[in-house]
Amino acid sequence: MVNGWRRAVFRLGAAAGIAGPAAFTGAWIASSLRQTRQGPGGLQLSGLAAPDARDPWIMLAGFLALGGCTVAFGAALRQALRGNATGDAGPGPALIQGAGLLTVAAGLLRRDHMLLNAPGEPGASWHSNAHDAVSGLVYLNLVAAQLALAWRFGRDPAWRHWRPWLLASAAATGVILIAYATDVTGPAAAILQRAAVTLPQAAVAAIAARLTWRNTDLETSTWPSVASRTH
C-alpha cells in the first residue's frame, strides 16, 4: 500500500512537469490576446499580471501553476535519479524546485504597470522592485538547472544521450537572456523573454514525459523491494 501510494505521488509529480509549462504557456498566450492592440508578443510576461493589465488573474494563475508544478516535478525527478546505481540526484532537482518557488514569488510580487517604461508614472513600489530581483534569480536558475542536469545525466547511461541537448538548450537560453538584458524595453524584448523561458520549460516537459511514459523501469529502481532495503 505504501509503495503504491509513493508510485502514485511519483506519477503526479512527473506529470506536473508537463502540466506546469503547458499551463504557463497557455496563460501568457491567452492573456496576451486579451490585451488591446498588443498581440501575443506585445507585452512582457510580468506586465500581463500587473494591476492595469486586462484580466491579470490569467497570468497570475499561470505563474502559480508553473511554480507549484515545478516544485512537484523536482521532487519526482530527485526520487527517480536517486533510485539508480550512478550516485545521488545532484543539484539539478533542487535547482528546479528553487525555480518553482521563485516563480511563485515572482507572480505574487506583482509589477506595478504593464509597461516597464510607462510615461508619467511614480517610482516603483517595493514589491515591483522585489519582483525584478526575483525574476533575475529565475533567469539565472533557468541556465544553472539545465547545466546541473546535463552534468548529472552525463554520468548515467540511461540519460547520457540527453546531455548534449541540455547543454545546447542551456547555451541558447543564456544567449537569448543576454540579448534580452541588453535592451529590456526594446521592441524585441517580449519575444526574447518568451523564448528564454520557453526553452528550459520545453526541456523540463521532455524530461517529465520520459518519466511519465517510461516509468516502469524507473519505479523498479526507485522503489526497491522490502527485502533489498533491509540488507
Side-chain angles (χ1 to χ4, degrees):
M1 178 66 71
V2 173
N3 280 352
W5 178 81
R6 292 179 68 185
R7 279 193 289 269
V9 171
F10 173 82
R11 290 193 188 99
L12 287 174
I18 301 173
F24 187 78
T25 303
W28 68 251
I29 291 174
S31 186
S32 297
L33 293 174
R34 292 290 294 162
Q35 310 311 313
T36 305
R37 296 186 300 277
Q38 295 294 336
L43 289 173
Q44 295 189 31
L45 301 177
S46 300
L48 297 172
D52 57 342
R54 188 175 183 184
D55 297 325
W57 63 268
I58 298 175
M59 197 65 238
L60 177 58
F63 274 107
L64 298 181
L66 176 62
C69 286
T70 301
V71 172
F73 169 70
L77 182 60
R78 178 185 293 108
Q79 190 70 38
L81 295 178
R82 277 180 176 174
N84 56 37
T86 57
D88 60 18
L95 286 169
I96 288 174
Q97 290 187 295
L101 294 175
L102 289 170
T103 299
V104 171
L108 294 176
L109 297 167
R110 299 165 68 189
R111 212 168 71 187
D112 293 332
H113 309 290
M114 286 192 300
L115 301 176
L116 280 175
N117 54 350
E121 297 292 349
S125 66
W126 69 268
H127 55 81
S128 187
N129 288 325
H131 170 89
D132 292 340
V134 170
S135 296
L137 293 176
V138 172
Y139 295 142
L140 292 175
N141 200 301
L142 295 178
V143 178
Q146 293 181 92
L147 292 175
L149 287 178
W151 171 78
R152 173 59 178 81
F153 287 177
R155 299 188 286 116
D156 190 336
W159 291 92
R160 190 169 293 149
H161 63 285
W162 288 71
R163 186 173 185 270
W165 297 106
L166 282 170
L167 289 175
S169 179
T173 302
V175 169
I176 295 171
L177 283 173
I178 291 172
Y180 166 69
T182 58
D183 189 7
V184 295
T185 61
I191 298 296
L192 290 171
Q193 184 193 44
R194 282 159 171 73
V197 300
T198 299
L199 269 177
Q201 286 177 19
V204 165
I207 295 169
R210 185 188 191 277
L211 293 183
T212 301
W213 296 332
R214 298 180 60 188
N215 58 19
T216 301
D217 57 327
L218 292 170
E219 288 173 6
T220 300
S221 62
T222 304
W223 294 283
S225 66
V226 173
S228 64
R229 291 200 300 269
T230 56
H231 289 81

